[in-house]
Amino acid sequence: MKKVTLQQTYLSYAKLSDLPKSDQKLLKLARKSLKNSYSPYSNFKVGAALLLENGELVGGSNQENASYPLCLCAERVALAAADSMYNGVPVVAIAVTAKSASVKIKSPVSPCGACRQVMCETELKHKQTMRVILQGEKGEIIVFNTARDLLPFLFDGSLL
Ligand code: THU
């Protein structure tokens, strides 16, 4: 028997102005994208923004449906839009934020498992890691160097 330990690292910033300028800009776009959220069922708005290698910025927001399982997360909306508009262009960074009608979100929003899997697929597809920048409505901002750190034991399609 051998014991294997997995390790993840992230950077923690106390406030927006501590971040590099381009990350600040991306988080601001994620925040702006909240207004396009269609979330009448959860009243939980999520905004995502991508920086692509060609310098383009792409925003996305969660899009809900009365048939709940059809709800689309902001991260996957943005990632699908980016590959539809700029096919083959790697994603350098993704910023995600959220706003709830009922509580003030003071800790970084955490992408769901499905979005982590899709972020990892994007990294594998483009053979390039993306930085993942997460914040709630306010407070701490955390930055992962790769989506892989959010999903260490991903299903990567190597068996298919
Ligand atoms: N949601 C996202 O947009 N991203 C996530 O990573 C987690 C959840 C959305 C889906 C749904 O519209 C709402 O948040 C509540 O689950």
Side-chain angles (χ1 to χ4, degrees):
M1 197 272 270
K2 97 181 160 167
K3 188 173 175 181
V4 179
T5 304
L6 301 172
Q7 239 188 342
Q8 288 85 39
T9 305
Y10 64 83
L11 302 176
S12 167
Y13 297 87
K15 55 184 189 302
L16 192 70
S17 55
D18 292 343
L19 282 176
K21 280 275 175 310
S22 71
D23 288 358
Q24 290 185 33
K25 192 173 163 192
L26 207 55
L27 251 181
K28 282 179 188 163
L29 177 59
R31 186 142 295 134
K32 199 171 157 198
S33 300
L34 289 171
K35 76 171 190 316
N36 299 329
S37 165
Y38 175 66
S39 42
Y41 305 105
S42 70
N43 288 309
F44 188 83
K45 295 174 191 281
V46 184
L50 309 179
L51 169 64
L52 306 188
E53 185 142 275
N54 62 3
E56 294 289 343
L57 297 173
V58 178
S61 55
N62 55 330
Q63 303 296 321
E64 298 189 343
N65 192 286
S67 174
Y68 293 173
L70 301 184
C71 292
L72 300 171
C73 289
E75 298 91 320
R76 279 177 285 155
V77 166
L79 288 163
D83 262 322
S84 303
M85 289 190 289
Y86 306 104
N87 188 246
V89 180
V91 179
V92 173
I94 178 169
V96 188
T97 187
K99 188 171 166 55
S100 160
S102 53
V103 288
K104 189 96 177 160
I105 307 170
K106 293 179 190 148
S107 50
V109 60
S110 190
C112 77
C115 288
R116 294 174 195 215
Q117 180 74 31
V118 171
M119 286 189 250
C120 287
E121 182 86 23
T122 303
E123 291 192 339
L124 291 165
K125 176 167 56 179
H126 297 311
K127 297 187 176 58
Q128 189 169 310
T129 56
M130 71 177 84
R131 287 178 322 104
V132 183
I133 304 156
L134 307 172
Q135 191 185 30
E137 272 181 73
K138 54 186 254 182
E140 185 190 13
I141 298 148
I142 63 177
V143 181
F144 290 85
N145 271 330
T146 166
R148 194 74 181 240
D149 280 344
L150 286 157
L151 192 61
F153 230 78
L154 84 159
F155 182 68
D156 67 4
S158 57
L159 301 175
L160 301 177

